[in-house]
Amino acid sequence: MKLRSIPGFIRWSAMALAALIFCGQISAQVKVACVGNSITFGACVVNRVQNSYPAQLQAYLGDGYQVVNFGVSGATLLGKGDRPYTLTDEYARPQAFNPDIVLIKPGTNDSKPRNIQFVDDFAADGKALVESYKSLGSHPRVILLTPVKCCNPMVYDIDSAAVMASLAGDLQ
């Protein structure tokens, strides 16, 4: 498979993991926890078990990796959001998984009108989420992915401009 034929999001995730391996920071079978909202979960994706981005990342990376999807549809990074990821069952599951790497893809649901009012907490809540995973016993490398533009913002009441501008800026 040519690198250019892989969607950008998956390609950049795979390249970040390859760089870590090349630098000798990880070895053996690498456990990758994919944390996030419906985009991670694969909501509205035909055959999400095979076509969600974590499943595609697993297929691309191969047997040297174990990629697990911990996505929750509708989840927010914001602690005051309408469905905080940290209050879901999926939030604690990576602790038992003992990941080497945690990929966090936040932000999309945080831009909904009922959540955007708490945008000033986004950076602090994001840092707290990152720190909660960095403190796991496996001491994983945590990679925060930039929020992606919502493909159907009107249906889900998501402000893609807010996601790409304000929230992505807060993550940096």
Side-chain angles (χ1 to χ4, degrees):
M1 178 181 306
K2 290 184 179 181
L3 195 57
R4 287 189 178 149
S5 67
I6 301 169
F9 188 65
I10 298 168
R11 183 175 64 237
W12 285 110
S13 299
M15 287 171 52
L17 294 177
L20 290 173
I21 292 169
F22 184 73
C23 293
Q25 294 186 14
I26 49 181
S27 61
Q29 186 177 33
V30 178
K31 292 181 175 183
V32 180
C34 295
V35 171
N37 53 31
S38 57
I39 294 167
T40 302
F41 179 77
C44 301
V45 172
V46 175
N47 193 1
R48 76 167 197 87
V49 173
Q50 289 183 325
N51 296 321
S52 64
Y53 100 76
Q56 290 292 305
L57 187 59
Q58 174 67 67
Y60 178 73
L61 294 172
D63 294 336
Y65 294 83
Q66 181 183 6
V67 180
V68 177
N69 187 339
F70 295 105
V72 176
S73 290
T76 63
L77 182 144
L78 290 165
K80 294 177 186 171
D82 62 335
R83 188 167 189 199
Y85 186 82
T86 55
L87 299 180
T88 68
D89 292 339
E90 291 299 295
Y91 169 67
R93 285 188 55 218
Q95 294 175 1
F97 179 57
N98 243 358
D100 298 297
I101 298 170
V102 178
L103 299 176
I104 302 176
K105 205 276 344 131
T108 309
N109 296 307
D110 299 279
S111 74
K112 292 177 180 177
R114 61 186 166 272
N115 297 322
I116 199 74
Q117 62 185 319
F118 307 114
V119 72
D120 291 342
D121 298 338
F122 191 78
D125 289 351
K127 183 177 180 180
L129 182 65
V130 167
E131 292 300 323
S132 73
Y133 286 120
K134 284 176 73 173
S135 68
L136 293 177
S138 60
H139 304 290
R141 176 76 175 245
V142 178
I143 301 171
L144 201 53
L145 305 171
T146 304
V148 297
K149 183 176 180 180
C150 182
C151 61
N152 202 350
M154 300 310 281
V155 172
Y156 299 106
D157 204 17
I158 292 170
D159 183 354
S160 289
V163 170
M164 298 312 291
S166 177
L167 301 180
D170 286 343
L171 290 176
Q172 293 178 2

